[in-house]
Amino acid sequence: MNELIIILASAVLLFAITLWKRKSPANLREIPALTRLYRTLGLSIEDGTRLHISLGSGSLLDARGGSALAGLALLRHIAERTSTSDKPSVASAGDPTLGLLTQDTLQAGYQAAAVEELYVPTSGRVTGLSPFGYAAGAMNIMKNENVSANIVVGHFGSEAGLLAEASDRENMILIGASDELSGQSVLFANTQDALIGEELFAAGAYLGAGASHIASLTLQDIMRWFVILALLGGAAAKLIGVI
Amino acid sequence: MRVFTAVIAIAAGILVLGGYFLPALADVQTLLLNWAVILAGTAALVGIFNLVSVHSDKIRRQEKGSGYSILLLISLVVTFLFAMILRPDHEAMDIILNGVIIPIEAALMGLLTVSLLYAAIRLLRRRADFMSLVFLVTAALLILGSATLPFGNMPVLGTFIRPWITQVLALGGARGILIGVALGTLTTGLRVLFGADRPYGGN
């Protein structure tokens, strides 16, 4: 029942914060990787080069679905912004259901930019069904499709190292985030600015994806303070022998 | 149509979530999850068609690397035909899996070891800051502390420093990161439940 209370309280707070009209724009701390991502989006359109968005092999049917959904939200925004580019973005997924949603999300981005006729269904791809198979397929896209930057956002384990190595060999920008600890450590060692932990879920808010994304960040901060207080309170209670 | 899909998706999401807390919804939850599993299986088939379509296009347009696409399609068709004729549990299919796919993935894992070592060496050149230094020193200490020596664990490093780093510092940090990821997952899930994010067709 505690879980239900947490979910309901979070839902009410998220709803309220989303509807709350801010008098001034939200003040977000600088995350270098997301600043770089914002700049990369603009540069790829100007240069006429392609962005490759790797969404990883997270299935939507298990707990890894959260990072996949965050990746899709980011893809939706990128698709809208780069849809009119000479070389539109290409997205890859390592899970069939995620692959289907990738195509749907790309199409929604093109619709929002009012250029649906430019949408090519093969720009959203399933490149493999196992993590390493997926990485091998995604490396092929990086090498052969005039890609200037790789945005690796989703569920990645150590196979992220292969994507990072391929990016480095082709002199591409790599922006990476994973919900898996091994993936995060690999990306930390391989990228100039890595996204750690919950920063993966902040990309939408930083790219201006809407009020709900800003509200999500605010809610995460509020929840984090509750967790900190609960941890400190629990430790103090244990110390004085209450629990 | 978009409103219709959103209503169905939100209702399905609420029913599945409700099934975890309300026993009355457990049957509906099981039914919806079973449908999801069937759809995921069908999506695998669609994913394979997508793969074939992408690589056929590459071959037709004679794009860079289309030789690999030819190899991929031939392998796919041959494996598919073998599996259809012999059935998936036949010995020959085991040979394809154990003799081709698993060794290739193991080889990729081996390549990863080299590329990770190379990345660690270049880390300070790419990003010379305090955290990179901490990362490298910690990795070096853990590797040294885990080294198998003829006389047993390395004194102090293997018996005290490595366990302290892994059980106290690394475990604490990992839990912090995982709590952050869990909070992010919760808010992302709620956004999808509210229909603010709709990755299922529509703006």
Side-chain angles (χ1 to χ4, degrees):
Chain A
M1 198 45 80
N2 289 341
E3 294 92 339
L4 184 62
I5 293 168
I6 291 170
I7 291 170
L8 286 177
S10 305
V12 170
L13 272 174
L14 184 66
F15 192 68
I17 299 168
T18 304
L19 293 181
W20 174 46
K21 299 275 179 212
R22 290 173 187 272
K23 285 177 185 157
S24 57
N27 188 18
L28 304 172
R29 75 180 165 91
E30 194 185 332
I31 299 177
L34 293 176
T35 309
R36 182 182 287 264
L37 172 59
Y38 191 79
R39 207 179 310 134
T40 302
L41 278 180
L43 280 176
S44 83
I45 298 166
E46 283 175 23
D47 292 352
T49 51
R50 205 186 294 280
L51 292 178
H52 172 220
I53 301 102
S54 306
L55 296 178
S57 44
S59 167
L60 292 169
L61 297 180
D62 59 31
R64 296 172 298 181
S67 60
L69 290 170
L72 285 170
L74 180 64
L75 175 65
R76 164 71 179 72
H77 187 74
I78 292 174
E80 186 177 342
R81 283 198 59 190
T82 61
S83 54
T84 50
S85 166
D86 293 342
K87 298 266 183 188
S89 303
V90 59
S92 61
D95 177 79
T97 42
L98 185 58
L100 277 180
L101 290 183
T102 298
Q103 291 177 349
D104 220 20
T105 303
L106 278 168
Q107 192 173 14
Y110 278 71
Q111 276 174 356
V115 286
E116 200 185 349
E117 66 282 0
L118 298 179
Y119 169 68
V120 181
T122 51
S123 53
R125 302 173 193 175
V126 178
T127 59
L129 298 180
S130 66
F132 279 94
Y134 162 69
M139 283 160 73
N140 187 41
I141 296 175
M142 294 177 189
K143 194 169 164 36
N144 296 319
E145 301 203 14
N146 196 21
V147 172
S148 63
N150 281 298
I151 299 159
V152 173
V153 176
H155 178 79
F156 291 90
S158 52
E159 74 275 8
L162 292 173
L163 299 177
E165 206 269 335
S167 291
D168 199 52
R169 213 176 327 123
E170 303 293 327
N171 290 319
M172 295 168 193
I173 296 167
L174 175 73
I175 294 154
S178 171
D179 61 347
E180 175 85 18
L181 289 171
S182 57
Q184 285 181 32
S185 55
V186 165
L187 289 167
F188 180 82
N190 275 286
T191 58
Q192 197 156 10
D193 309 299
L195 289 164
I196 302 292
E198 71 275 17
E199 288 173 352
L200 157 70
F201 300 93
Y206 278 75
L207 294 180
S212 67
H213 285 259
I214 302 271
S216 276
L217 281 192
T218 312
L219 178 61
Q220 280 179 55
D221 284 343
I222 293 169
M223 300 291 282
R224 193 177 297 113
W225 277 111
F226 275 118
V227 171
I228 291 168
L229 290 175
L231 286 172
L232 290 176
K238 184 88 177 168
L239 193 69
I240 57 175
V242 176
I243 54 171
Chain B
M1 187 63 185
R2 281 178 194 154
V3 176
F4 190 57
T5 52
V7 168
I8 291 175
I10 292 167
I14 289 171
L15 286 171
V16 171
L17 182 64
Y20 287 105
F21 305 107
L22 304 170
L25 292 176
D27 288 342
V28 182
Q29 182 201 40
T30 309
L31 180 74
L32 286 171
L33 288 177
N34 285 340
W35 286 357
V37 171
I38 294 167
L39 285 174
T42 315
L45 207 60
V46 175
I48 290 166
F49 283 127
N50 174 265
L51 200 69
V52 171
S53 160
V54 167
H55 288 277
S56 306
D57 273 358
K58 277 190 159 193
I59 295 166
R60 202 172 49 245
R61 288 202 293 257
Q62 294 185 326
E63 280 181 21
K64 204 166 107 184
S66 57
Y68 294 115
S69 300
I70 295 171
L71 199 64
L72 184 136
L73 289 185
I74 291 172
S75 311
L76 183 71
V77 171
V78 168
T79 314
F80 182 73
L81 286 178
F82 265 119
M84 291 298 282
I85 295 164
L86 300 172
R87 315 306 299 166
D89 51 358
H90 192 270
E91 201 180 323
M93 297 312 297
D94 280 346
I95 292 171
I96 290 176
L97 183 73
N98 296 322
V100 181
I101 298 172
I102 292 176
I104 288 174
E105 296 218 345
L108 283 173
M109 184 73 103
L111 275 176
L112 187 63
T113 315
V114 179
S115 66
L116 280 181
L117 186 68
Y118 185 52
I121 292 166
R122 286 178 314 167
L123 181 62
L124 281 180
R125 204 174 61 191
R126 186 184 289 123
R127 192 178 53 220
D129 58 12
F130 178 69
M131 290 318 290
S132 302
L133 203 63
V134 170
F135 183 84
L136 282 178
V137 170
T138 310
L141 285 176
L142 290 182
I143 290 169
L144 281 174
S146 312
T148 311
L149 299 171
F151 52 84
N153 283 332
M154 198 175 270
V156 185
L157 208 57
T159 53
F160 175 70
I161 294 178
R162 185 180 64 87
W164 184 71
I165 290 175
T166 53
Q167 299 300 318
V168 180
L169 295 183
L171 196 62
R175 283 181 181 167
I177 288 173
L178 289 176
I179 287 172
V181 169
L183 292 177
T185 304
L186 173 71
T187 53
T188 305
L190 286 173
R191 276 207 316 271
V192 174
L193 266 185
F194 282 157
D197 281 0
R198 292 182 210 167
Y200 40 78
N203 298 316

